[in-house]
Amino acid sequence: MYQIVKKRQLNQDVVLMEVKAPYVAAKAQAGQFIIFRVDEQGERVPLTVADYDRHAGTVTIIFQTVGNSTKELAELGEGDYIQDFVGPLGIASHFDGVKKACVIGGGVGCAIAYPQAKALFNMGVDVDLIAGFRNKDIVILEDEMKAVCNRFVLCTDDGSYGKKGFVTQALQELLDEGNRYDVVVAIGPIPMMKFVCEVTKPYNMKTMVSLNPIMIDGTGMCGGCRVTVGGEIKFACVDGPDFDGHQVDFDELMRRNSFYREQERSKECRLIGGKGE
Amino acid sequence: MPRNMSLTKVPMPAQDPNVRNKNFEEVTLGYTPEMAMEEAGRCLHCPKMPCVSGCPVNIKIPDFIAKVAEGDFKAAYEIISSTNSLPAISGRVCPQENQCEGKCVRGIKGEPVAIGRLERFVADWAMENLHEEVKKPAPNGHKVAIIGAGPSGLTCAGDLIKQGYDVTIFEAFHKAGGVLVYGIPEFRLPKAIVQKEIDKLVAMGVKIETDMVIGKVLSIDELFDMGYEAIFIGSGAGLPGFMGIPGEGLVGVYSANEFLTRINLMKAYKENYDTPIHRSRAVAVVGGGNVAMDAARCAKRLGAEHVYIVYRRSEAEMPARKEEIEHAKEEGIEFLLLTNPTKILGDEKGWVCGMECAKMELGEPDASGRRRPVKIEGSEFVLDVDAAIMALGTSPNPLIRSTTKGLEANKRGCLIADDTMKTTREGVYAGGDAVTGAATVILAMGAGKTAAQSMDRYIQEKNQ
């Protein structure tokens, strides 16, 4: 059992938790993820490591309440326990030789873009950070992100805060200004990552994306998380979750992620009445 | 004691096929004490005991059967458990026809003695009736680590704890048992029985640390630094294979590991568990091993109208147990033999809507001695299915060997170990599917047993 030592609501749907998990905290690196299971009847759900404190033995996760399991997790408070918290899983991000980078976060994806930007910034890389949100009300981690980049661009789809428009427009502007990046890191909803890749492709600019397929074990034993990268089958949990965005079949990933949508909805309906036999 | 010269085994009661293919409860119901005593009377007590040589964990078979015939089930249990830590499991899932029963003299003329059913009876009887305080062995002051809580790791732990070792098992999943909990379905091996066997080990003092992915959370080197004097790797062969044919990325294509993990470990078929599973109308299961039979029978129980086993050779070459093939047929699984998928077809949403297959014929024998299937040109046809489960076999996960210096593996990714289960790294032993590639539960248990002896000898010699 893993204790929640801190909980903070970042916006209406996004929650930050620090979880006591000394083994995970000792090894976690940017780009890796954990799998949690709320309780005995729970499912296994992956979440990216947003931060860690090796000394305190805690790992920070940031998640959006999008379904049954994240809602159950969000209902827990400081001092409560999570049944399982496995990690760190996946391969850590590698940024050897990078001098200038652009990190792009979309919505709750900023929770994952943030540790990547932080890792790069702490390596002395010149980091431009673009954070995109639907509107002002859901902006998260603004101060944290500002602190780990050289240039910060915040945009909202409706223009209610920061620049008006999508992250792809902000990226195009930076490119039009003559900025060239050794790597672009895009993390957010699948369509956003796909469109970022379309922007960088003509520049032949290396673009890393963090994929979020459906997972069960997270250790490479089932292939539920398989994605097609460069025409080959890869397991995101062991070969990723970071991949070269120009090689990823995003449309297939989107289709595969829709598989259990109906069951997810019916579980949510049942959740209102609590778990019954 | 009266000798029973019947040529056939005392039949074991089972659920009706058309009832059981709609539930996940155990198919076979086990012997009553009377049936067990009657069957035990069929053993001739041959002086050479060929049956024992067929048992990878060396159960003293005629001895325990003699006690069953007398009705002294407690004594029978003590004989079995002196060499086998998990009899309720091996009695159910061993391919006895190739092991102990394959060597039984009664099998020359008629059916062999039902050794597996008798072992199962004794183990189940003991679980029901023996509630003695477990004796904790006196500690010998040495620490050992076991990676993986599957059949090899549990057996190794059971043997080492009996010798006084301080034993810790590190398991990646949230539950111990390995393939016994995520792979083999409830209707063949009830999970409550697996848990009871594991609880016995814990009562003897075995510590089980779940959520510990060795190779990620801790390395082999770090385990040595923590004071473990010898390490056993029983991490199995959990990496699923795919065919590499078009359409394997479609929605509705699973590895058997994924399908079975959702059902068995995550209990997706139960309403009050959160993990979802899609209920398909018609399912193709590709493969002919026990895993394929398990997946097909699970798919049927989830309500599929048609479940097909698609296998490229003929029934004679099927690696699955005869009993499982028979059970699957009784439950209405349809067998498409000498048939191989060439393409999985998808609809406009990207969901499976069919499987293109080709008919095969058997050619010359290949390296494995089995006749190689050859495609009959122009024989393609489309099977109407909305899900496909690939049960093509598995290979060892590279996580541990890729993070451990000096631990060598062969071309297939299997760890190299000698007859004593010693690997190429000092103090590290390995066994089960991690060494052999996907094999059987009982071979894994046998390997765990051998490794326990080797680890004991290694630590004793090192500390002299």
Side-chain angles (χ1 to χ4, degrees):
Chain A
M1 300 283 271
Y2 302 82
Q3 194 175 34
I4 298 163
V5 293
K6 188 174 157 191
K7 180 185 177 185
R8 185 151 65 98
Q9 198 81 31
L10 298 185
N11 70 29
Q12 200 191 326
D13 299 319
V14 178
V15 179
L16 174 149
M17 280 181 180
E18 281 178 29
V19 178
K20 186 97 177 162
Y23 279 121
V24 188
K27 290 282 176 72
Q29 296 178 66
Q32 290 187 298
F33 66 95
I34 60 96
I35 286 207
F36 78 84
R37 195 173 69 121
V38 174
D39 57 27
E40 266 312 310
Q41 277 97 51
E43 61 185 331
R44 295 169 66 96
V45 181
L47 286 176
T48 308
V49 171
D51 212 342
Y52 47 82
D53 184 334
R54 301 212 200 283
H55 185 69
T58 58
V59 175
T60 305
I61 49 173
I62 296 174
F63 59 94
Q64 190 167 13
T65 51
V66 288
N68 181 24
S69 293
T70 44
K71 281 193 183 123
E72 285 184 356
L73 181 59
E75 277 167 19
L76 299 179
E78 289 178 8
D80 290 342
Y81 289 86
I82 304 173
Q83 181 78 35
D84 295 288
F85 195 86
V86 190
L89 300 168
I91 296 173
S93 307
H94 285 291
F95 297 119
D96 299 339
V98 171
K99 293 194 175 60
K100 191 170 164 73
C102 184
V103 179
I104 306 170
V108 73
C110 289
I112 314 166
Y114 160 67
Q116 301 260 20
K118 185 175 161 186
L120 283 160
F121 190 71
N122 289 340
M123 283 165 61
V125 174
D126 183 357
V127 178
D128 287 356
L129 206 163
I130 305 171
F133 299 92
R134 275 199 320 280
N135 59 54
K136 183 175 194 290
D137 297 337
I138 62 165
V139 171
I140 58 167
L141 299 173
E142 187 181 353
D143 295 335
E144 287 87 345
M145 288 192 287
K146 269 184 188 160
V148 295
C149 64
N150 302 79
R151 180 173 3 193
F152 184 62
V153 183
L154 193 150
C155 42
T156 50
D157 297 358
D158 63 358
S160 54
Y161 192 53
K163 273 172 88 75
K164 180 174 165 41
F166 299 122
V167 292
T168 41
Q169 291 164 318
L171 171 64
Q172 189 63 57
E173 280 174 28
L174 288 169
L175 292 169
D176 290 345
E177 284 169 25
N179 290 293
R180 292 295 177 265
Y181 303 102
D182 300 316
V183 66
V184 174
V185 180
I187 300 159
I190 301 170
M192 169 252 168
M193 294 192 283
K194 181 183 168 181
F195 290 128
V196 166
C197 290
E198 283 173 14
V199 171
T200 58
K201 183 100 192 182
Y203 297 85
N204 202 16
M205 195 171 277
K206 186 179 171 190
T207 306
M208 298 303 290
V209 293
S210 180
L211 301 186
N212 55 348
I214 295 172
M215 285 187 192
I216 301 130
D217 59 290
T219 61
M221 61 84 65
C222 86
C225 68
R226 67 192 185 278
V227 288
T228 304
V229 180
E232 276 179 54
I233 293 178
K234 298 277 182 192
F235 291 3
C237 70
V238 287
D239 300 316
D242 293 357
F243 290 100
D244 177 348
H246 294 146
Q247 304 287 321
V248 170
D249 185 340
F250 287 106
D251 295 335
E252 179 188 274
L253 175 60
M254 249 180 285
R255 286 195 296 269
R256 288 185 60 81
N257 275 6
S258 72
F259 192 21
Y260 295 105
R261 202 155 285 160
E262 267 177 45
Q263 280 104 311
E264 295 277 324
R265 276 202 205 107
S266 70
K267 292 261 179 193
E268 264 175 67
C269 295
R270 286 214 317 275
L271 189 65
I272 299 164
K275 274 185 191 180
E277 277 296 323
Chain B
M1 115 194 45
R3 186 149 288 173
N4 172 357
M5 289 313 291
S6 166
L7 291 179
T8 52
K9 293 177 180 177
V10 173
M12 179 155 61
Q15 277 196 74
D16 180 80
N18 279 315
V19 173
R20 72 184 192 231
N21 67 9
K22 293 169 193 70
N23 69 50
F24 278 84
E25 283 149 40
E26 194 168 18
V27 166
T28 53
L29 304 171
Y31 279 160
T32 60
E34 296 72 27
M35 291 173 186
M37 289 168 72
E38 189 188 341
E39 178 63 23
R42 295 184 62 228
C43 177
L44 301 177
H45 297 279
C46 327
K48 285 193 175 163
M49 300 187 286
C51 52
V52 177
S53 69
C55 174
V57 292
N58 318 115
I59 296 176
K60 296 173 188 125
I61 293 166
D63 293 5
F64 99 75
I65 290 183
K67 293 295 173 194
V68 174
E70 288 169 21
D72 188 351
F73 306 136
K74 184 168 180 282
Y77 179 72
E78 279 159 9
I79 293 167
I80 294 175
S81 59
S82 69
T83 62
N84 180 4
S85 309
L86 311 163
I89 294 165
S90 50
R92 283 177 168 78
V93 303
C94 269
Q96 287 102 2
E97 61 272 25
N98 306 327
Q99 315 261 4
C100 53
E101 294 181 22
K103 302 257 166 111
C104 175
V105 169
R106 293 297 304 264
I108 299 168
K109 236 193 228 173
E111 289 183 339
V113 175
I115 301 166
R117 293 176 185 178
L118 291 173
E119 181 191 16
R120 166 186 165 163
F121 165 77
V122 171
D124 288 359
W125 180 91
M127 272 186 196
E128 287 262 308
N129 296 289
L130 295 185
H131 301 286
E132 292 163 24
E133 188 78 7
V134 179
K135 281 185 228 99
K136 280 198 184 185
N140 70 6
H142 298 290
K143 268 169 77 173
V144 292
I146 288 170
I147 301 166
S152 71
L154 293 173
T155 304
C156 189
D159 282 17
L160 288 168
I161 198 83
K162 283 179 194 159
Q163 296 176 68
Y165 285 94
D166 179 352
V167 183
T168 305
I169 304 182
F170 294 94
E171 164 59 40
F173 261 135
H174 55 260
K175 216 174 193 64
V179 75
L180 307 172
V181 297
Y182 77 72
I184 301 174
E186 182 77 14
F187 56 79
R188 279 217 288 140
L189 180 63
K191 303 307 146 215
I193 286 173
V194 178
Q195 194 56 50
K196 279 184 188 162
E197 295 281 41
I198 292 169
D199 290 346
K200 272 193 300 185
L201 295 179
V202 172
M204 279 192 275
V206 172
K207 283 169 271 186
I208 302 179
E209 300 260 2
T210 52
D211 293 348
M212 295 293 273
V213 186
I214 301 303
K216 285 283 177 191
V217 181
L218 290 172
S219 66
I220 297 277
D221 293 271
E222 285 168 313
L223 289 174
F224 278 122
D225 292 344
M226 289 162 75
Y228 294 101
E229 293 178 59
I231 297 171
F232 175 74
I233 302 174
S235 50
L239 191 69
F242 288 89
M243 293 183 78
I245 57 172
E248 285 184 306
L250 290 165
V251 180
V253 182
Y254 307 80
S255 73
N257 264 12
E258 177 186 351
F259 187 71
L260 292 171
T261 300
R262 283 180 182 275
I263 292 171
N264 300 322
L265 181 73
M266 306 310 297
K267 309 238 180 297
Y269 65 94
K270 290 190 175 176
E271 272 295 304
N272 55 330
Y273 281 73
D274 292 339
T275 303
I277 186 94
H278 198 81
R279 290 178 190 255
S280 303
R281 178 183 53 80
V283 182
V285 180
V286 183
N290 287 319
V291 174
M293 298 304 135
D294 287 344
R297 297 169 73 193
C298 283
K300 190 78 187 178
R301 283 162 170 77
L302 288 176
E305 292 164 31
H306 291 282
V307 179
Y308 304 99
I309 289 280
V310 178
Y311 182 56
R312 63 197 181 123
R313 304 183 203 243
S314 68
E315 186 168 328
E317 286 83 17
M318 275 200 170
R321 288 188 68 189
K322 287 276 174 299
E323 182 182 303
E324 305 310 329
I325 296 171
E326 287 314 314
H327 281 158
K329 285 181 177 172
E330 288 167 11
E331 289 167 12
I333 309 298
E334 297 156 65
F335 283 62
L336 296 175
L337 302 168
L338 289 165
T339 304
N340 205 29
T342 46
K343 190 196 275 184
I344 302 168
L345 309 171
D347 62 14
E348 67 289 345
K349 278 166 63 201
W351 289 45
V352 173
C353 68
M355 180 187 267
E356 186 192 274
C357 301
K359 300 300 286 178
M360 312 292 279
E361 57 191 353
L362 291 180
E364 295 300 308
D366 63 11
S368 74
R370 295 188 299 179
R371 292 176 65 193
R372 202 166 59 86
V374 183
K375 183 176 158 186
I376 302 173
E377 288 307 323
S379 67
E380 284 87 354
F381 67 98
V382 173
L383 193 60
D384 174 27
V385 292
D386 59 350
I389 300 169
M390 309 311 258
L392 309 164
T394 52
S395 52
N397 192 313
L399 205 50
I400 292 171
R401 74 180 132 86
S402 65
T403 54
T404 308
K405 274 197 189 117
L407 194 63
E408 286 172 35
N410 68 17
K411 278 198 296 255
R412 293 182 300 135
C414 302
L415 295 177
I416 293 170
D418 67 13
D419 290 347
T420 69
M421 304 297 147
K422 192 168 88 173
T423 67
T424 52
R425 170 87 187 255
E426 198 196 325
V428 180
Y429 296 78
D433 288 3
V435 168
T436 57
T440 62
V441 168
I442 192 68
L443 286 175
M445 288 168 59
K449 208 169 177 59
T450 306
Q453 288 162 7
S454 302
M455 290 162 80
D456 176 47
R457 201 179 317 121
Y458 167 75
I459 291 174
Q460 297 307 328
E461 281 170 12
K462 197 167 60 104
N463 289 286
Q464 257 171 21

